[in-house]
Amino acid sequence: MSIPEFDPAYGRAVTIADGIARLTANNPSPFTYFGTNGYLVGGEQLIIIDPGPDLAGGLDTWLDIIGGRKVHAIAITHTHIDHSPMAHRLKAAIGAPIAAFGPHRPARPLFEGEINPFAESADMALIPDIVLQDGDTLAAGGIVLEAIHTPGHTANHLAFALQDTPYLFCGDHIMGWSTTIVAPPDGAMGDYMASLEKLLERAESIYLPGHGDIIADARNVVRATRSHRRMREKAILERLAAGDETIDEIVQVIYRTTDPKLHGAAGLSVLAHLEDLVERGRVDTDGPPMLANRYRLPV
Ligand SMILES: [Zn+2]
């Protein structure tokens, strides 16, 4: 896949639309693209979405851009360390409350002896001052943001719709440049697919993602994302029908054109599909679905 152009404009607020500006953190990586996007929503009264990682100098940049304006809330899409840790510093500096779905937690309880490979990517310290459930709203001046619970990438993932506009802040549910990581135990494929359907039932058509540029044809991108995941699921079922039993065997075939360095991540994605397929009774395995299991089609 070719990487689209994106100007991160580090250290500057980029105007996206009337009352929406983007500040991209200087944390480029294979997992964050050019960096994590934070957003300022409103005018003299603001809500900030995802102030980003705790980078040196990052707080000063935020304070400069906010100027003397009142921040009503610091809204968090999800508790990954590239999205939420600056919220702690920002709250201490300006006194605005942190609004999020809840503390970080895996999508399901850990199995006995299971080690969570994503433990270090979570901001475990984040405890919201304002707990947002699906449909709850935040207001500042004339603007209203509606929280939409969109689990899948993480269990506590929220998207935010800017009321009476076509804009939706989609966090990491849809990325502007790559496929979202959905992997157990923090993520869950069944939840991810259900959240895609939930977004398709809504009217918003322009998405502002946590990484990458504005997504102008968002509804088509959501449909394409759904098709891509369904295609992967079909490919996995075909490999099981052909006699593959392990995640390694499946990855060797369906990710044969992918850089072998990424096969570990691919294995976790296949596991996410298998976990969902086992839950739906489409695939059998012995014991809880894990990386080293053998999988088969039910007879
Ligand atoms: Zn994330």
Side-chain angles (χ1 to χ4, degrees), residues 94-133:
I94 60 176
I98 295 173
F101 186 79
H104 194 84
R105 63 174 169 86
R108 56 157 173 77
L110 295 193
F111 303 134
E112 209 178 316
E114 185 183 20
I115 290 166
N116 186 345
F118 306 108
E120 303 213 326
S121 59
D123 175 9
M124 301 302 293
L126 192 123
I127 296 166
D129 303 299
I130 301 170
V131 173
L132 294 173
Q133 296 189 328

Side-chain angles (χ1 to χ4, degrees), residues 78 80 82-83 153-154 172:
H78 66 296
H80 274 158
D82 59 320
H83 289 260
H153 174 66
T154 63
D172 281 2

Side-chain angles (χ1 to χ4, degrees), residues 32-279:
T32 63
Y33 192 41
F34 283 94
T36 306
N37 294 329
Y39 293 95
L40 300 98
V41 192
E44 283 310 302
Q45 313 207 36
L46 286 171
I47 294 171
I48 286 170
I49 300 174
D50 283 1
D54 188 357
L55 298 179
L59 178 63
D60 290 340
T61 306
W62 274 107
L63 294 177
D64 278 353
I65 290 170
I66 292 164
R69 295 181 285 174
K70 170 151 177 75
V71 177
H72 284 254
I74 305 164
I76 302 296
T77 62
H78 66 296
T79 42
H80 274 158
I81 51 169
D82 59 320
H83 289 260
S84 58
M86 183 54 71
H88 306 276
R89 283 189 195 281
L90 202 50
K91 175 187 165 181
I94 60 176
I98 295 173
F101 186 79
H104 194 84
R105 63 174 169 86
R108 56 157 173 77
L110 295 193
F111 303 134
E112 209 178 316
E114 185 183 20
I115 290 166
N116 186 345
F118 306 108
E120 303 213 326
S121 59
D123 175 9
M124 301 302 293
L126 192 123
I127 296 166
D129 303 299
I130 301 170
V131 173
L132 294 173
Q133 296 189 328
D134 189 49
D136 285 351
T137 56
L138 292 169
I143 60 129
V144 177
L145 282 179
E146 179 190 351
I148 306 158
H149 188 214
T150 41
H153 174 66
T154 63
N156 65 359
H157 193 285
L158 293 174
F160 294 99
L162 183 56
Q163 258 180 22
D164 303 320
T165 78
Y167 295 106
L168 180 122
F169 300 89
C170 63
D172 281 2
H173 200 73
I174 299 284
M175 308 247 259
W177 63 292
S178 162
T179 322
T180 295
I181 293 174
V182 178
D186 278 14
M189 191 60 74
D191 291 347
Y192 185 78
M193 296 300 281
S195 294
L196 289 177
E197 298 295 339
K198 189 173 186 174
L199 292 181
L200 279 175
E201 283 165 16
R202 302 185 56 93
E204 292 85 15
S205 56
I206 304 173
Y207 286 8
L208 301 168
H211 306 274
D213 217 339
I214 183 166
I215 302 170
D217 56 346
R219 299 178 57 75
N220 280 331
V221 172
V222 175
R223 280 190 207 96
T225 303
R226 180 177 64 181
S227 305
H228 172 78
R229 300 284 179 170
R230 283 180 177 163
M231 199 184 70
R232 279 275 184 258
E233 177 183 290
K234 189 160 164 275
I236 291 166
L237 289 169
E238 283 169 5
R239 288 319 304 165
L240 293 175
D244 286 356
E245 293 186 334
T246 67
I247 289 175
D248 275 351
E249 289 166 341
I250 294 168
V251 167
Q252 293 303 330
V253 177
I254 67 177
Y255 288 91
R256 63 184 168 277
T257 59
T258 302
D259 183 345
K261 282 204 282 275
L262 299 175
H263 279 187
L268 289 169
S269 181
V270 170
L271 175 61
H273 279 290
L274 285 167
E275 183 180 81
D276 181 38
L277 286 163
V278 168
E279 263 168 38

